[in-house]
Amino acid sequence: MHAIGQRTQLARMIKITGWSLLIGAAALIAALTLFYAPTASDSPAPPITWGTSSGKVIAGTASIVDEMTQLALNPQGTGVVTLAMEPVAARNYPFVHIALEQASSELNVILSWNAPHSKGASRLYRLENKALASQWIATTELRGWSGDIGTLSLVIMGQPGETVLIRDFSLHPASPWRQLQAIYSDFTAYTSWNRAAMNTHTGVINVSSFYPVPLGAALFLLSTLAYGALVVLSRGKLRFRLVNVALIFLANWLILDAVWQNRLWQQLADTYHTYAHVESRQRRSVGPDAPLFRFASQVKSHLAEDSRVIVASNDRYNGMRVAYYLYPFNVYWSVHDPQVPFDEFLHAGDYIALVKPSAFRFKGGRGILVAPERADLPVELVFSNGNGTLVRLK
Amino acid sequence: MPFLMTTLALALPVLLGSLLLNLLVPARTAARAALVLGNGTLIGLLLIPQILRGLHALGAPLAFLPTALLAGALITAAAVAHLARAHRTELTPSPAPAGSPMPTSHRVLFLFIAAMIIARVATLGLEILWRPLFPWDATMHWATKAKVWFELGWMAPFVENHVWLNMGGEGVYTDRHAGYPATIPLLQVWMNLATGYWDENLMNLPWLLCFVALGGAFYGQLRAAGVGALTSLAFTYLLLSMPLLNIHVALAGYADLFLGAAYCAGLMAFHNWLTTRRRWQGALTLYFALACLVIKNEGAVWVMTFLPALALSVRTRHKVAKLLLLFVLTLVLFAILAHKNPVLLSYALTHITELHLSGFAGIIQAIWLHDNWHLIGYLFAAVIPLGLLLPGAYTQRYAGLVVALSCALGLFLFIFLFTAFGEGASNFTGVGRLCLHLFPGLLFLCALISNELLLRDRAADSKFEPLAQKM
């Protein structure tokens, strides 16, 4: 009997929490679409959709595959398609939809637009969201999306000959449904780890319209209010119980966490794709640091066991990473002091690894290292390649 | 072979800490397994580097076998002592621990939350296993030392850049923060010594272990504080699903996760020691407080927060004696701090500035706008004021915890609002990581208050139910 009573109580609790969440969600959706949606124009603007007959291929080669446009990138690894349209008012088109298939995560996709008859530089937005299968972009968040738009292009950069299926590329007028789709796209956006990842996780990309956390808090507040209202309307049959509020809070947390978990899974798939096929000790030879690692490995092959090596670079990240790869050799790399220490601290035989970009220049003909605002250093070249140069002090 | 050796390198700290703690924790403690394994693993993870260091100080090179043998000897001794005690207990059997079984519905929810946690651990673990060392500071001043010490087989000294230049680099190395403690690099050295080669994936597995251990310790200490199993697990899930905490596991290599875990473990044990006066909780507090000092320099600041709370807890009627004790303890800590890290102290004293409003905006954004911690900022904002409705909560039952956390929050705000480090809040480079040190402890306080609120509400509900049924 006791167990049945508990089950009934739990069922009632879940039911009331569920209703509270549903009402809260409905209120939040209504608020988002009524008060925060872009204003629709007086005369409804029709959507403008990409098609081989209603658009232009500027770079690459287009063909039709399964009723979609297959774009093969040109020998420079670029494909450009442009929507065929008359000049339109930017504010009448607050949403762009882009849906690409067979697009690798290394692909760079850029949205480019111009004012009519403009001879100036195009406005550009590089899509941060790597989930390219379908994404809605709120153009109100794009810097420079104003006035009239004469041309709108999609620039795709990847490997030469790489093919991408364009399922949709279109401009859309304001509508509550598209507003919700844009919010959903923002929430499911995926960007790979960046250098600031250890310090902050904003949960948004540059074109997101809303931060997920305040929305989650708003949903919690509205659901709790809805729960309070249900209690009041029950005329004494229900009592306001904190455990229901706790369940509402937990449900909101789970929603936010599902968004985060989804992002983690996408990241994991990306990480797997990049590294998992490589033996763990060789993983530095793939991924974004590979050129720096190769350069450092090459430097190491020229060093004796007791060599001192000074790493100089104008790019703090590049310099720091190469210095790390050079350990356990005796490495000097400094953030705030001069990249190459003053002459009194240098010894003949010291190596200097110049990691690009660097203010130091090796002048082969004269056998010197030239740097701004300091005396030239007599050096001999050990090797030089696209990532940097290794010299030895004479 | 690398798999076996990695497993051994991970198992030894778990066994070492857990079996030692197992000797201290009474048999009938709630959620004993989680408590012992969670805290024990944290103890072991922080103890192994000290053993490596100790043996090295005695002249031994950094090597896996001697450290493993010493750890193994301690494990064996702890296991034998446990078996001997178990044998004695068998002769005088004690009644089985009493506890009401969890209703099926609660069990389903419990299992659901546990599954969510397990899924998270798997995701983060695979990221560690596949991605080579990624984060900035990890390759700037943590793994640099680990790599040199592992390759050389001894702890070559690291000095600041200018010292290196003056010495011509003779017998010394340099990196961005030469003065940071050796514990975390030595933990990476330990993992690499096990496999025998430098492996940037396997060496970071202790971060995953630390994450799981923090969860176990959090759950165990909540249960030890009298919180129900479901509520404890729900709060453990909140803790383990916070994005920035997850990131510090997935992109392992920073010391902040260990510092946050040690400070939280210390605070939890401190609270339970104050309320139960059990010596093993006191010992845990002391261990984790000292551990904070050897993980990261900022740990010294957090250790200071225990002092006022400790002074409050002394059972004396003389307020003057309490204040005197507080004063002496503070002096001792400052002396330690000045000796251990004069740079940090001089920084604190010379970098005081006027109020940084931008720092304030940064803190607000990091906690209530960005998704660093999901809804935790809102939870704190709701639950902590509600705690005022509980008579004696802040002045008696949770006084020690509240004083320590208030001091920590005061220092946190002081650092970002009144020192040159305010930039770390306005540009988000520092605020998130300092939150990582504090938020697990704050969440523990929130869990205790929430539990009490829910229990009071349920008690009121049981009075209401008969009335409702009559209607």
Side-chain angles (χ1 to χ4, degrees):
Chain A
M1 284 293 282
H2 179 66
I4 293 168
Q6 272 184 335
R7 265 204 296 273
T8 317
Q9 201 181 8
L10 186 84
R12 203 196 306 167
M13 213 155 72
I14 289 173
K15 198 169 142 188
I16 193 85
T17 305
W19 275 111
S20 306
L21 281 165
L22 278 176
I23 298 168
L28 183 64
I29 288 169
L32 289 174
T33 50
L34 290 174
F35 303 121
Y36 292 100
T39 46
S41 58
D42 299 334
S43 54
I48 302 170
T49 306
W50 155 262
T52 42
S53 56
S54 56
K56 277 187 271 184
V57 178
I58 309 294
T61 316
S63 54
I64 302 296
V65 175
D66 292 338
E67 296 178 358
M68 286 187 277
T69 307
Q70 185 179 55
L71 183 70
L73 306 187
N74 68 15
Q76 287 76 41
T78 306
V80 182
V81 295
T82 302
L83 279 183
M85 60 189 200
E86 295 296 316
V88 294
R91 69 178 198 91
N92 287 345
Y93 287 94
F95 300 106
V96 173
H97 183 231
I98 297 165
L100 305 179
E101 289 185 9
Q102 298 176 357
S104 70
S105 59
E106 284 89 26
L107 214 61
N108 273 313
V109 182
I110 296 164
L111 198 63
S112 160
W113 65 98
N114 276 97
H117 318 299
S118 162
K119 288 179 181 168
S122 301
R123 293 283 190 167
L124 303 172
Y125 167 66
R126 190 177 72 81
L127 271 63
E128 304 148 88
N129 184 357
K130 293 287 180 187
L132 295 167
S134 172
Q135 58 177 280
W136 287 84
I137 298 168
T139 55
T140 45
E141 302 293 332
L142 292 173
R143 200 172 293 171
W145 187 269
S146 57
D148 286 343
I149 307 288
T151 55
L152 179 71
S153 308
L154 200 59
V155 182
I156 302 171
M157 293 191 287
Q159 297 297 319
E162 189 174 351
T163 56
V164 182
L165 283 174
I166 302 174
R167 190 156 53 80
D168 188 32
F169 172 38
S170 48
L171 260 178
H172 295 267
S175 91
W177 178 239
R178 282 170 206 130
Q179 164 88 346
L180 294 177
Q181 284 178 307
I183 293 172
Y184 179 78
S185 274
D186 293 343
F187 277 22
T188 53
Y190 163 66
T191 56
S192 187
W193 301 123
N194 60 42
R195 292 173 195 177
M198 301 300 280
N199 299 329
T200 187
H201 171 67
T202 60
V204 293
I205 53 174
N206 284 327
V207 293
S208 295
S209 304
F210 298 95
Y211 281 92
V213 167
L215 279 190
L219 178 58
F220 169 66
L221 188 69
L222 291 169
S223 304
T224 307
L225 285 174
Y227 171 54
L230 288 173
V231 170
V232 171
L233 291 173
S234 75
R235 293 181 187 173
K237 286 180 185 167
L238 291 173
R239 183 180 160 267
F240 191 87
R241 300 179 66 200
L242 279 182
V243 70
N244 284 91
V245 180
L247 278 178
I248 291 170
F249 181 83
L250 186 63
N252 276 285
W253 187 289
L254 282 167
I255 293 167
L256 274 180
D257 200 40
V259 172
W260 167 236
Q261 184 70 46
N262 171 55
R263 193 227 168 284
L264 273 180
W265 281 336
Q266 290 191 66
Q267 175 66 66
L268 190 62
D270 202 358
T271 305
Y272 175 82
H273 175 71
T274 312
Y275 295 108
H277 62 284
V278 185
E279 200 265 321
S280 71
R281 279 180 281 185
Q282 306 300 322
R283 284 189 186 143
R284 284 293 182 192
S285 58
V286 294
D289 263 11
L292 296 174
F293 180 72
R294 276 196 296 273
F295 174 69
S297 302
Q298 214 173 340
V299 170
K300 274 173 148 178
S301 68
H302 291 279
L303 302 179
E305 201 177 309
D306 58 347
S307 298
R308 296 192 334 160
V309 55
I310 292 152
V311 176
S313 178
N314 280 17
D315 184 301
R316 203 177 272 189
Y317 177 84
N318 289 354
M320 181 269 289
R321 278 297 218 242
V322 168
Y324 167 70
Y325 296 135
L326 289 175
Y327 287 105
F329 286 96
N330 207 340
V331 184
Y332 175 92
W333 170 78
S334 179
V335 178
H336 300 300
D337 295 330
Q339 289 176 21
V340 174
F342 293 120
D343 295 359
E344 62 264 35
F345 297 116
L346 298 173
H347 303 163
D350 282 350
Y351 288 89
I352 302 175
L354 304 169
V355 185
K356 286 188 176 175
S358 172
F360 287 81
R361 293 281 173 272
F362 173 66
K363 298 280 183 186
R366 293 161 58 199
I368 54 164
L369 197 61
V370 181
E373 295 173 13
R374 68 179 289 172
D376 297 342
L377 293 167
V379 295
E380 60 183 343
L381 178 72
V382 180
F383 79 88
S384 183
N385 64 25
N387 296 307
T389 302
L390 181 70
V391 295
R392 194 165 65 166
L393 280 170
K394 285 200 268 197
Chain B
M1 195 65 177
F3 174 76
L4 275 181
M5 292 307 288
T6 302
T7 309
L8 183 64
L10 290 173
L12 281 173
V14 176
L15 290 172
L16 177 62
S18 303
L19 285 170
L20 288 176
L21 186 59
N22 181 50
L23 295 174
L24 303 176
V25 181
R28 298 185 64 209
T29 307
R32 190 175 182 280
L35 190 78
V36 169
L37 279 169
N39 284 292
T41 301
L42 283 178
I43 290 172
L45 285 172
L46 298 169
L47 192 57
I48 285 284
Q50 313 316 324
I51 296 176
L52 265 176
R53 195 176 189 170
L55 289 174
H56 183 260
L58 293 172
L62 294 172
F64 184 77
L65 194 62
T67 314
L69 284 176
L70 185 56
L74 289 169
I75 289 167
T76 311
V80 168
H82 171 73
L83 288 173
R85 199 173 61 175
H87 180 67
R88 278 201 305 276
T89 320
E90 233 171 60
L91 298 176
T92 53
S94 61
S100 53
M102 203 187 283
T104 313
S105 51
H106 285 203
R107 206 175 301 150
V108 170
L109 194 54
F110 188 93
L111 290 174
F112 170 72
I113 296 173
M116 298 276 290
I117 293 173
I118 291 167
R120 184 67 45 98
V121 171
T123 311
L124 300 177
L126 288 173
E127 187 72 29
I128 290 178
L129 281 175
W130 287 333
R131 177 176 294 275
L133 197 66
F134 176 81
W136 189 289
D137 285 8
T139 55
M140 191 165 72
H141 56 242
W142 292 110
T144 47
K145 295 176 185 73
K147 202 171 179 186
V148 170
W149 294 344
F150 167 71
E151 297 288 354
L152 298 184
W154 64 284
M155 291 174 71
F158 271 74
V159 294
E160 299 296 333
N161 286 167
H162 68 277
V163 179
W164 187 90
L165 288 174
N166 284 324
M167 293 177 72
E170 284 297 321
V172 290
Y173 283 78
T174 188
D175 65 9
R176 178 76 182 93
H177 283 290
Y180 268 5
T183 302
I184 297 303
L186 280 175
L187 198 54
Q188 292 175 321
V189 169
W190 164 252
M191 295 302 296
N192 283 306
L193 286 172
T195 53
Y197 58 84
W198 181 255
D199 190 311
E200 289 187 348
N201 296 105
L202 299 180
M203 76 176 188
N204 286 335
L205 283 173
W207 271 255
L208 187 69
L209 214 52
C210 179
F211 176 72
V212 175
L214 173 63
F218 193 85
Y219 175 80
Q221 289 287 23
L222 276 177
R223 299 281 285 119
V227 179
L230 188 57
T231 309
S232 298
L233 193 71
F235 273 92
T236 305
Y237 164 69
L238 299 191
L239 172 71
L240 298 183
S241 60
M242 295 193 294
L244 205 58
L245 186 86
N246 289 175
I247 289 171
H248 274 251
V249 181
L251 303 178
Y254 279 27
D256 300 275
L257 176 74
F258 284 89
L259 183 53
Y263 184 53
C264 176
L267 283 171
M268 295 188 298
F270 181 62
H271 167 75
N272 282 334
W273 172 69
L274 285 180
T275 49
T276 63
R277 296 286 169 171
R278 288 184 187 275
R279 283 183 190 163
W280 60 273
Q281 291 281 19
L284 276 182
T285 309
L286 189 64
Y287 180 87
F288 286 122
L290 291 174
C292 288
L293 293 171
V294 296
I295 296 172
K296 205 176 172 191
N297 292 343
E298 290 88 323
V301 177
W302 304 136
V303 174
M304 275 165 55
T305 64
F306 284 101
L307 297 180
L310 190 66
L312 271 179
S313 67
V314 175
R315 283 176 177 166
T316 170
R317 288 179 187 167
H318 301 290
K319 285 186 179 169
V320 177
K322 279 188 180 184
L323 288 173
L324 194 68
L325 182 77
L326 176 63
F327 181 69
V328 171
L329 285 172
T330 310
L331 277 184
V332 168
L333 198 86
F334 264 105
I336 294 171
L337 191 62
H339 174 70
K340 196 177 152 47
N341 198 338
V343 179
L344 189 73
L345 197 65
S346 65
Y347 248 66
L349 295 175
T350 57
H351 284 66
I352 294 172
T353 59
E354 56 191 29
L355 174 68
H356 283 287
L357 280 175
S358 58
F360 187 68
I363 291 170
I364 300 285
Q365 287 179 65
I367 299 173
W368 283 282
L369 188 65
H370 294 166
D371 195 19
N372 292 315
W373 316 104
H374 285 338
L375 293 170
I376 205 121
Y378 296 90
L379 183 72
F380 292 157
V383 171
I384 290 172
L386 279 176
L388 294 169
L389 300 176
L390 302 169
Y394 293 150
T395 53
Q396 289 164 20
R397 290 189 298 287
Y398 312 129
L401 192 58
V402 167
V403 169
L405 283 168
S406 302
C407 291
L409 278 177
L411 285 166
F412 172 86
L413 290 173
F414 174 75
I415 289 167
F416 288 124
L417 299 184
F418 294 102
T419 74
F421 298 107
E423 212 175 278
S426 53
N427 63 15
F428 310 117
T429 51
V431 65
R433 281 189 272 159
L434 253 63
C435 286
L436 182 56
H437 305 163
L438 300 187
F439 279 9
L442 267 169
L443 188 64
F444 182 73
L445 175 65
C446 255
L448 294 175
I449 296 169
S450 303
N451 180 60
E452 206 173 320
L453 287 166
L454 288 169
L455 287 177
R456 277 167 63 103
D457 193 53
R458 194 186 298 166
D461 202 40
S462 59
K463 287 178 196 163
F464 173 82
E465 278 297 323
L467 287 175
Q469 279 165 10
K470 276 179 200 169
M471 288 193 291

